[in-house]
Each structure stands twice: as structure tokens, then as C-alpha cells.
Amino acid sequence: MSKVEILEVAPRDGFQAVKAFIPTETKIALIEELAACGIARLEIGSFVSPKAIAQMADTSDILKRARLPAGVRIQVLVPNAKGLQLALAAGVREVGWVISVSESHNRSNVRRSVDESFREFADAWQGLGAGKPRLRFSLSTCFDCPFEGRIAEDDVVRAVERVIAIAPDVEIAICDTTGRAATDHVGTLFARLLPAYASKRVAFAYHGHDTYGLGVANAIEAYRQGVRVIDGAAGGLGGCPFAPGAAGNTATEDLVFAFEHMGIKTGIALDKLLAVADRIAAVAPDQAGGKVRTVPRRRVLAGFGPATRGIPT
Ligand code: COA
Ligand code: ZN
């Protein structure tokens, strides 16, 4: 059976884009509701400087208090060695380290050169010895940088090689941080990366934003190239505060609709997800996105194929 795994990032990428502090109780309730939709993986926050992103300051509190079904995989994002230590101290078993391919976005995001970030990652990761947590490595600005424009594929290839040299067991997320990737660019980059680097130890994921309305098309293209982990944010919130011009993540409900419509299973209950997506969007309505939420629900939920015959408009 064809299937795809969705990593839900609304609690991290989504909420970090919202200026006004979202009460911890609200975050916990929404995270628990997301998990109840059948979502298998959740990025529930980040250990970053509260001066950089105050919205994420309650991540360890959320980790302590959220009640999630057994088997749901939880990860947090970290940008430096201190973040990794805090994540481990909080008992997290999956971390997402982030470095940008482009020099200027990396400096804007984590105030270090790309070389400095890779040196810090190598020291921190190799310093852990045995019993390391599971690693998702997010390579930001793989297609487009808000300051440098289109990114050369060779630069992404070099970054992927650096990651694998330091951490041979890894899931590497190829991120369209600004949402400006053209669909053919997604295709050519993955067509180059997957045959060369995917293995039993190295998996690839796609993380997209929907700034120009290409989020779903780009995710499907990534899938067609062989990627089986796709990031989405329910309600379409999101965006790196250090990437001017980036809009929200591709909405998870749009991804679920598109994949299920093609017969590719996500394991996610779309009716429940839409209800949670509405509540997440209500947290910051002017920043929310996605298309499927705007369609009358009875039409969306009528099913696919012959089941949709005769649905009233
Ligand atoms: N978690 C919590 N606090 C942290 C931290 C972390 N991972 N890393 C640093 N800090 C604290 C330091 O203790 C210090 O606190 P103090 O001023 O009270 O002593 C302060 O933050 C500054 O630390 P410093 O090491 O000088 O960092 P910096 O100012 O050079 O900023 C980063 C570097 C990486 C910490 C910061 O840019 C950051 O958190 N960026 C993340 C951005 C992000 O999340 N982007 C979106 C996701 S892609
Ligand atoms: Zn993002």
C-alpha cells in the first residue's frame, strides 16, 4: 500500500511565527488534539534562545505536561549545543538540528557562519558518544534564500555530505524555508540526492512553505521522487521569523487531502484534523493558510472517487 508519513510542525514552525505569547495550556491542548488525529510524528517546540524566539520558551513545560498516546514520536528543534543539552535534559529522544545552506540565512537565524554551525554540530553530536537520540537534520534554504536568492544544487549536495560525514544515521529534511521553490527544482534536487545518498541509514524528508501556493505540488513532487516523510502545519501557520517574505507551512490538511485523494495513506483522520486546524488557525487568523479548510466540510469529507457523486454544492 502506498503511504506517506506526515511530520506535524504547527506547534514549532507554526507557533514560532506568532508574536503574541500563546498560553502554554492552549499549546498543550492543541498538541494533544493533533496527536488524537492519528498523526504519528510531532515537532512540539524548540530549545532556542528566548531572546531569539520568546514563543518557544515553554517547550520543556509542554514536554512535561502534554499527554500523548504511546507510539507518537516527539521531536524538538535545536540550533546549537546548548539546545541539544536542554533537549536531552528534558528527556527528548528525537532532536531536529538546523543549519542553513546559505551563509546569510544561517547568520540571520543562528548568528553563526555555516562553518561555525557545522563545527558546533560535529563537536556536540560526536561528544554524545553512544546512546545518541534519533536525529532529524533540517537543512534550511535548500532552494531559495531570502537574502541570496536561488541556491545552487551543488551547495545543497555539499551540505548533505557534511551532515552524513558527521552523523551517518540521520533523516535529512530538505527545506524550502521561503516557500519559493519551483516544483521542477524540487524534482531535480531530489532526483540528484536520493539515488546518491538515501540508504538504510540516511532518509530524506521534505519541508515546504506555501508562500506562492506551490506547497502541495512541491510535496507531491518530493513524494514522486521517493521521499516518504513530509512536513506540514495544521492551519497553515508558520514561517521562520528570520526569513523575511516567508509565509506559513504547507497546511497539513491540504497535504492529507491531496495524498489521500491519490490513494496514498497518511493514517490521519481528516475530519478531526480539520477541526483542530480551525482551532490552530484561530490562534492567529491573519497568519493562517491552506485551502481545504475553506471548502464546505461535507464536500471535503464525502470521500474520494465514486463516493463524491451527487454531493450538493
Ligand atoms: N536554548 C535556550 N537558551 C539559549 C540557547 C538555547 N538553545 N542558546 C543560547 N541560549 C541563551 C544563552 O544562555 C544566552 O542567555 P543569557 O543572555 O541569559 O546569558 C542567550 O541565549 C544568548 O546566547 P548566545 O550563545 O550568545 O547566543 P546568540 O545570541 O549568539 O544566539 C542562538 C544564537 C542560536 C542561540 C539564537 O540565534 C537562536 O536561538 N536562534 C534560533 C532561531 C530559530 O529558532 N529560528 C527558527 C527555527 S529555524
Ligand atoms: Zn519551516
Side-chain angles (χ1 to χ4, degrees), residues 26-261:
T26 307
K27 288 177 184 153
I28 291 172
L30 292 169
I31 287 168
E32 290 176 347
E33 287 171 27
L34 283 167
C37 298
I39 285 166
R41 293 179 65 183
L42 275 161
E43 186 167 75
I44 74 166
S46 60
F47 285 101
V48 301
S49 166
K51 285 178 195 145
I53 302 192
Q55 187 66 261
M56 294 288 109
D58 56 355
T59 295
S60 64
D61 213 15
I62 293 170
L63 282 165
K64 274 194 213 108
R65 289 164 52 195
R67 295 281 160 263
L68 300 171
V72 175
R73 289 171 56 190
I74 299 300
Q75 74 179 46
V76 296
L77 181 137
V78 302
N80 61 1
K82 175 163 181 168
L84 178 64
Q85 287 312 324
L86 290 171
L88 295 176
V92 170
R93 295 308 302 152
E94 296 198 39
V95 294
W97 194 295
V98 59
I99 296 179
S100 309
V101 173
S102 65
E103 196 63 41
S104 35
H105 183 260
N106 202 63
R107 283 185 188 278
S108 164
N109 196 35
V110 297
R111 297 154 58 94
R112 286 164 175 72
S113 70
V114 172
D115 281 351
E116 284 165 344
S117 277
F118 269 108
R119 269 199 298 277
E120 182 165 2
F121 171 59
D123 289 347
W125 194 250
Q126 284 158 354
L128 288 180
K132 290 178 171 59
R134 206 159 165 171
L135 178 65
R136 133 74 68 118
F137 197 102
S138 290
L139 276 176
S140 292
T141 61
C142 280
F143 303 92
D144 173 75
C145 167
F147 314 107
E148 296 174 28
R150 188 178 167 109
I151 298 300
E153 287 180 7
D154 285 350
D155 291 351
V156 182
V157 167
R158 266 194 296 276
V160 163
E161 288 181 349
R162 288 177 94 166
V163 173
I164 296 170
I166 297 165
D169 296 287
V170 62
E171 175 183 278
I172 301 175
I174 299 299
C175 303
D176 178 19
T177 307
T178 60
R180 203 176 157 84
T183 305
D184 66 329
H185 191 180
V186 174
T188 54
L189 184 56
F190 278 118
R192 192 165 162 190
L193 292 176
L194 287 167
Y197 302 103
S199 69
K200 281 208 172 75
R201 302 177 71 182
V202 177
F204 283 90
Y206 178 70
H207 174 103
H209 287 253
D210 202 23
T211 317
Y212 296 87
L214 293 172
V216 170
N218 289 350
I220 291 170
E221 180 59 26
Y223 179 89
R224 287 164 63 94
Q225 295 297 333
V227 175
R228 290 294 177 268
V229 180
I230 305 281
D231 294 4
L237 290 182
C240 174
F242 303 99
N249 288 82
T250 310
T252 309
E253 59 275 16
D254 289 9
L255 292 168
V256 170
F257 182 86
F259 281 115
E260 298 280 344
H261 208 4

